[in-house]
């Protein structure tokens, strides 16, 4: 019986996927797996029993990834599960950037007591006139699960869409509309597009990528959307560009003290994935990944260990070994089984950075074998998945 602890409230659509082999527990120390959304985990101590943490969402800033990797705890996320919810809000952001709907609504609220409000509306509305997005050029930086959906949807709205992603996956490339222009450089996006939306992860190479130098390459009056991470944009440079009119509108789903005070900025309180459907999809994906890992040792969408698919075990036993990515590890593992007279039927070994994961289907396995494997220098954790 596997025990699962929900650190945050997790959609029942997801937890209902748990089979009869699972129970939820209020005790973190007893849990085989933790399901989490936004709760901070950096100061937590994890028991040796903990095998997996699944984030029902994409971002994992709230989880100590390196610490978990060293302890052989697999951290999952759910990329793409909330993509449609974010895509729809990006489209709303496009329209809000094009038409001063927010300003118009604010005017109505401020003047709601006017006895001749209907007449005054006709006089005031010209101050909030905007533009249509049909025929305008949209640059989509990053064509992952969300960016590809945004690009495709924008073509249906009549926009001329430019897409840039040198690392696009084969799966997302197949899903991309033929009407999305594949450009080879960010410079072409910056110089050609009326609207630019960013959909890339926050890394050292992308931090502050929207800055005074890149904005200088853009059209005057460009409109920029950021539904990925606030640190992708240099706040000081953006404030100056908005003040000068170089950037006509900045729409962000990641408000902070700086952006909330900027001129011509629409700050949305991180609502991209805040839909019932997205929460359900993320929960279901997180639960299914955890179940496949606990029952079969398979890893899908881990952020700290490699993807491994060993299928369903048909051998007498299966062992999973988390270890350092260094030479001679496999030879030491096979030596342990050989010394015990145990045959290895099948083996999968994958690495990701400094971490490796090896799954072996064998004739037999028990706690004694696990202890001998864990005694090898560089081994982080050993699981007898089936024995």
């Amino acid at each position: 019986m596997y025990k699962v602890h929900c650190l945050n409230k997790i959609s029942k659509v997801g937890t209902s996927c748990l089979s009869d082999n699972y129970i939820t527990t209020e005790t973190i120390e007893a849990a085989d797996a933790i399901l989490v959304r936004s709760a901070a985990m950096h100061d937590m101590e994890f028991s040796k029993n903990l095998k997996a943490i699944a984030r029902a969402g994409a971002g994992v800033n709230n989880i100590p990834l390196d610490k978990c990797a060293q302890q052989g705890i697999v951290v999952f996320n759910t990329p793409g599960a909330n993509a449609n919810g974010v895509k729809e809000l990006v489209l709303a952001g496009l329209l809000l950037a094009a038409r001063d709907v927010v300003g118009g609504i604010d005017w109505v609220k401020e003047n709601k007591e006017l006895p001749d409000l209907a007449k005054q509306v006709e006089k005031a509305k010209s101050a909030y006139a905007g533009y249509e997005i049909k025929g305008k050029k949209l640059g989509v930086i990053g064509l992952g699960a969300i960016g590809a959906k945004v690009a495709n949807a924008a073509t249906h709205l009549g926009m001329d869409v430019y897409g840039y992603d040198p690392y696009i996956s084969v799966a997302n490339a197949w899903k991309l509309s033929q009407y999305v222009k594949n450009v080879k450089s960010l410079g072409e996006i910056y110089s050609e597009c009326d609207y630019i939306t960013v959909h890339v992860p926050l890394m050292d190479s992308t931090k502050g990528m929207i800055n005074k130098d890149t904005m200088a390459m853009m059209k005057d009056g460009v409109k920029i959307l950021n539904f990925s991470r606030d640190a992708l944009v240099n706040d000081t440079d953006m404030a100056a560009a908005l003040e000068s009119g170089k950037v006509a509108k900045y729409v962000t789903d990641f408000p902070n003290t700086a952006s909330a005070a900027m001129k011509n900025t629409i700050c949305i309180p991180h609502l991209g994935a805040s839909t019932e459907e997205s929460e359900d999809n993320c929960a279901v994906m997180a639960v299914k990944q955890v179940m496949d890992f606990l029952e079969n040792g398979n890893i899908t969408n881990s952020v700290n260990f490699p993807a491994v698919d060993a299928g369903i075990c048909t051998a007498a036993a299966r062992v999973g070994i988390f270890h350092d990515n260094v030479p001679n590890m496999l030879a030491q593992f096979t030596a342990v089984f050989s010394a015990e007279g145990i045959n290895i039927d099948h083996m999968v070994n994958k690495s990701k950075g400094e971490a490796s994961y090896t799954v072996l289907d064998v004739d037999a396995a028990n706690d004694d074998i696990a202890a001998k494997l864990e005694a090898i220098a560089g081994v982080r954790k050993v699981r007898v998945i089936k024995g």
Side-chain angles (χ1 to χ4, degrees):
M1 185 72 69
Y2 295 110
K3 297 179 180 179
V4 177
H5 177 78
C6 297
L7 200 55
N8 293 111
K9 183 179 179 181
I10 302 296
S11 165
K12 290 183 179 179
V13 175
T15 55
S16 66
C17 294
L18 293 170
S19 69
D20 293 340
N21 291 327
Y22 294 80
I23 59 171
T24 56
T25 176
E26 295 299 319
T27 307
I28 294 179
E29 291 74 19
D32 295 288
I34 292 175
L35 300 176
V36 64
R37 290 175 61 195
S38 58
M41 303 184 71
H42 285 277
D43 294 330
M44 293 178 62
E45 294 298 325
F46 303 123
S47 74
K48 290 185 177 181
N49 188 62
L50 184 64
K51 302 169 182 65
I53 297 171
R55 162 78 164 94
V60 289
N61 294 343
N62 57 318
I63 303 171
L65 303 182
D66 291 341
K67 177 180 176 180
C68 290
Q70 286 300 320
Q71 296 181 24
I73 300 169
V74 181
V75 179
F76 297 94
N77 68 346
T78 56
N82 58 15
N84 189 70
V86 178
K87 175 208 75 177
E88 291 185 359
L89 194 63
V90 173
L91 296 179
L94 272 172
L95 295 170
L96 292 175
R99 310 279 291 272
D100 192 7
V101 177
V102 174
I105 291 172
D106 288 344
W107 182 90
V108 172
K109 289 180 179 179
E110 292 167 3
N111 294 277
K112 62 184 179 183
E113 302 298 334
L114 291 175
D116 59 343
L117 179 60
K119 185 181 293 185
Q120 293 299 322
V121 161
E122 295 305 315
K123 295 179 180 179
K125 68 180 184 181
S126 62
Y128 307 103
Y131 304 89
E132 296 178 15
I133 62 174
K134 183 179 180 180
K136 302 300 189 300
K137 294 180 179 179
L138 170 68
V140 182
I141 302 174
L143 297 168
I146 296 169
K149 285 181 179 292
V150 170
N152 289 346
T155 65
H156 293 298
L157 293 172
M159 301 192 80
D160 194 7
V161 182
Y162 292 63
Y164 173 81
D165 191 338
Y167 309 108
I168 187 170
S169 69
V170 173
N172 284 326
W174 275 106
K175 295 174 184 177
L176 202 61
S177 167
Q178 62 178 317
Y179 299 108
V180 176
K181 297 176 176 64
N182 179 25
V183 301
K184 302 301 182 183
S185 71
L186 282 172
E188 189 173 351
I189 294 279
Y190 294 148
S191 62
E192 292 290 332
C193 295
D194 307 295
Y195 298 79
I196 295 174
T197 181
V198 185
H199 300 283
V200 299
L202 179 61
M203 303 181 293
D204 289 341
S205 59
T206 60
K207 186 176 182 180
M209 64 181 291
I210 304 299
N211 54 53
K212 62 182 180 181
D213 295 328
T214 54
M215 286 187 283
M217 301 168 62
M218 300 178 190
K219 290 183 175 182
D220 291 342
V222 67
K223 300 172 179 70
I224 298 174
L225 291 82
N226 178 12
F227 285 77
S228 292
R229 285 291 181 268
D230 65 331
L232 296 172
V233 174
N234 182 299
D235 286 332
T236 301
D237 294 350
M238 177 59 76
L242 288 163
E243 194 64 38
S244 70
K246 177 66 179 183
V247 175
K249 190 76 72 174
Y250 176 45
V251 184
T252 179
D253 198 30
F254 296 89
N256 55 40
T257 303
S259 60
M262 290 180 192
K263 177 182 179 181
N264 292 330
T265 297
I266 298 173
C267 290
I268 302 169
H270 200 187
L271 300 180
S274 294
T275 68
E276 185 173 325
E277 294 86 350
S278 287
E279 291 180 6
D280 289 348
N281 291 340
C282 287
V284 168
M285 190 171 179
V287 167
K288 288 186 175 180
Q289 289 172 172
V290 164
M291 290 176 66
D292 191 26
F293 173 66
L294 292 179
E295 296 171 20
N296 301 306
N298 297 325
I299 296 178
T300 305
N301 293 326
S302 171
V303 294
N304 64 344
F305 279 103
V308 170
D309 184 1
I312 297 174
C313 181
T314 56
R318 173 171 287 179
V319 178
I321 308 171
F322 297 93
H323 56 95
D324 296 345
N325 182 18
V326 294
N328 199 40
M329 298 303 291
L330 298 183
Q332 294 183 78
F333 301 157
T334 57
V336 169
F337 288 104
S338 177
E340 297 293 324
I342 297 173
N343 186 53
I344 298 173
D345 295 331
H346 179 67
M347 179 173 66
V348 180
N349 169 261
K350 298 289 184 180
S351 299
K352 185 174 185 177
E354 297 179 354
S356 289
Y357 178 50
T358 301
V359 177
L360 303 102
D361 287 349
V362 294
D363 288 343
N366 52 41
D367 291 341
D368 289 339
I369 289 291
K372 290 178 180 179
L373 291 168
E374 284 189 334
I376 298 172
V379 171
R380 304 179 184 186
K381 178 179 283 188
V382 176
R383 281 188 64 208
V384 176
I385 301 161
K386 176 183 176 184

